Amino acid sequence: LGAGKGVIGKLLVEQGFTDIYGQEGSQSKRNALNRLEDVYKDVEMFIVGKQGLPKVYRQKFDFVTCSGSLGTNLLPARAFDEMLSALK
């Protein structure tokens, strides 16, 4: 969540992961992430904890990552509930 510049996605690919989805709340960053076709299967634009996790992503993933978006006051507390709801 909060795929940003795709750094974590690229690291996951280096470790052999292939089924990677990104989420980003910024349109300009999402446009840049869409160019990383060798990393992300898809990049959705929504704001975690504010707009609600799209139903298609509920109970879909084996794990969820988030780094920069965990900074002070970037995500509301309920974003963690949404992250958990994305897990199988």
Side-chain angles (χ1 to χ4, degrees), residues 31-62:
N31 292 343
L33 290 166
N34 282 336
R35 290 189 281 272
L36 297 176
E37 294 174 354
D38 57 329
V39 175
Y40 295 101
K41 282 192 153 192
D42 188 26
V43 179
E44 284 283 335
M45 185 171 158
F46 61 92
I47 300 173
V48 178
K50 294 184 181 179
Q51 297 172 312
L53 186 72
K55 288 182 182 182
V56 68
Y57 294 124
R58 292 186 187 151
Q59 298 182 337
K60 180 178 177 85
F61 302 105
D62 294 321

Side-chain angles (χ1 to χ4, degrees), residues 1-9 12 20-31 33-34 39-54 56-57 61 63-70 74-76 79 82-83 86:
L1 298 169
K5 296 179 181 179
V7 174
I8 300 296
L12 289 170
I20 304 170
Y21 290 79
Q23 172 279 328
E24 181 53 54
S26 161
Q27 183 65 50
S28 62
K29 288 181 181 176
R30 180 179 181 244
N31 292 343
L33 290 166
N34 282 336
V39 175
Y40 295 101
K41 282 192 153 192
D42 188 26
V43 179
E44 284 283 335
M45 185 171 158
F46 61 92
I47 300 173
V48 178
K50 294 184 181 179
Q51 297 172 312
L53 186 72
V56 68
Y57 294 124
F61 302 105
F63 70 93
V64 175
T65 66
C66 187
S67 62
S69 295
L70 296 176
L74 292 176
L75 294 177
E82 291 184 13
M83 289 180 208

